[in-house]
Amino acid sequence: MFAASAIHKRLGGRTILGGVSLVAKRGDVIGLVGPNGSGKSTLLAILGGLMTPDAGHVEMGTAERVAYLGQGFRGDPAVPIGEAFPLTFSGITTASRVAEIADRIAVETSSELEVEFDRLLQALSETTGYGDLESLRATLGLRTLLAKTPAGELSGGELTKLGLIEAIAHQPSVVLFDEPTNHLDLKGTKWLEEYLREFDGVAVIVSHDRTLLDACATSILELDPSKGSAELFTGDYSAYADEKARRAEETWRRYELQEREERQMKRTISAIESRSRNIEGKTIDFYFRKRAAKVARRAVTLKARLEREHRETDHLERPQRPAQGFYGAFQSVDSGASRVLTAEHIRLCFPALELVRDLSFFVNRGERVVITGLNGSGKTTLFKAILGDHPVSEGRITVNSSPGIGYMAQQDNSEGNARDSTLTPVEALRKAVPMPEAEAYNFLHRFVMGHDQLRTPIGRLSYGERRRLALARLVVTGPGLLLLDEPTNHLDLPSREAFETAFESFDGAALVITHDRYFIERFADRVIEL
């Protein structure tokens, strides 16, 4: 179906991809994994023809139809969704017209209606290979939307669902999805798993969703950021993780055996040298001194052998431990009011659509309250109302958090702020909390951000790197109430685990929007479903 050969790409002065090759055939579902910043999104964009490699090439058959879904919505929030997703809305309009004419044909005879019906059916078949787009919209749990609605009025999950429908409408033979389950509710995630299992083309999926990759992946392509290279593993994510663990254990076993042998050889060399010096120090007899020199030559020979072995290609350097996410910890919160947040009979609309009616809840100090619900049900709007950025149509919200509120948005804030996107992580952190530059560097290093990333403008960082920066801002400001909107989105697995460890020790209050079942089971004291 396609082949990528020796793909090289440098971004921001560093090598992202250093010779990546991949061959994919029909029926392959390839999970693309690696740490944040390892080049996963870059490789996907190159495969989709959206970015040109510095060297190497991608061979894609002329008959192949490629559908690409990137991370998040990068278009203008003011653009109508009918323009942002043209095939989706033309297909849905056509499907609605077909249903309307079918109802009329059932009660009246008209050759003109029959001709129009056949024409629209043909148009619909050319628009989508996944049945009726209107039915697909309903299957995904996406509310009815007008084509003129600005994209900025939709939630991240609704935009993801529209992106998936748009991709399907292309009748693709190759799909390239970048973190498709981010912002996606449980209903959408289950549909995506089913679609990928039944897809008869090639799918390349960037994802840290272990459940999705176990359900769908036929192979895993791992990117190594230290070399810019890639390796393909057959099987699902669990098979890949087992093989990585087996290799790591075998490498450490060989390294430890090598270390024992070298230590033994060094002790032998030391003993020989000591014996030679002892003989030379005790006598001036030529015969014995000659024997001492012979013994010393043996030590020299062993040293040369040791040095030669160090230079050989099969000599093992100490294996590197995998990145452990980050090393941040939330600050302890001073005692304050026991009731941190109260919502009383609130009603929320956006803009004229009623999202929430007569909602009442509270959050006490030390509690973790999770908010769930379908995409577009008003979860993010509720957060904006708590922050004072969205009006409450009825009722009242009271916040009693003395150290303040720490907010992590669903989408990276710098995307819509050109000024922030040009700042480096160090500049952004010092903007949030005044501190010496050296202190900011040291603090961000704890979030596994190297010198290259710290000097790179935020707008050019990967989504995962921006997410770790957002976590660093939360940790350094020391809020008493956390509002976290899909906090694990875009984080690689070590970073997710590190965040969970840090969150576990947080003694303030937290209100969290998430569809992560593992997170809910581990942390939620209460769940509010909108």
Side-chain angles (χ1 to χ4, degrees), residues 405-470:
I405 299 176
Y407 174 52
M408 176 182 282
Q410 186 181 104
Q411 298 283 5
D412 181 73
N413 291 331
S414 66
E415 289 180 17
N417 190 326
R419 185 180 303 169
D420 281 355
S421 68
T422 61
L423 297 177
T424 67
V426 171
E427 292 168 340
L429 188 66
R430 296 181 71 198
K431 180 180 178 182
V433 177
M435 64 173 67
E437 185 175 14
E439 184 178 338
Y441 266 98
N442 292 334
F443 185 83
L444 289 173
H445 277 312
R446 292 161 53 192
F447 287 78
V448 195
M449 301 189 77
H451 288 289
D452 288 339
Q453 288 95 332
L454 295 181
R455 292 192 294 263
T456 301
I458 295 173
R460 285 161 52 187
L461 293 176
S462 73
Y463 276 88
E465 289 167 335
R466 295 182 211 173
R467 208 62 171 167
R468 290 206 299 269
L469 174 60

Side-chain angles (χ1 to χ4, degrees), residues 174-231:
V174 177
V175 296
L176 308 172
F177 291 161
D178 197 347
E179 295 284 9
T181 58
N182 279 351
H183 316 308
L184 203 58
D185 57 32
L186 188 57
K187 191 170 187 176
T189 300
K190 288 182 176 178
W191 173 86
L192 179 62
E193 289 179 4
E194 180 183 344
Y195 173 78
L196 291 173
R197 280 196 297 264
E198 296 178 355
F199 186 58
D200 62 356
V202 172
V204 183
I205 314 297
V206 175
S207 182
H208 297 116
D209 188 328
R210 290 160 287 189
T211 304
L212 177 73
L213 295 178
D214 273 343
C216 309
T218 59
S219 58
I220 301 293
L221 184 69
E222 179 194 49
L223 295 186
D224 183 349
S226 64
K227 302 175 183 176
S229 60
E231 182 178 2

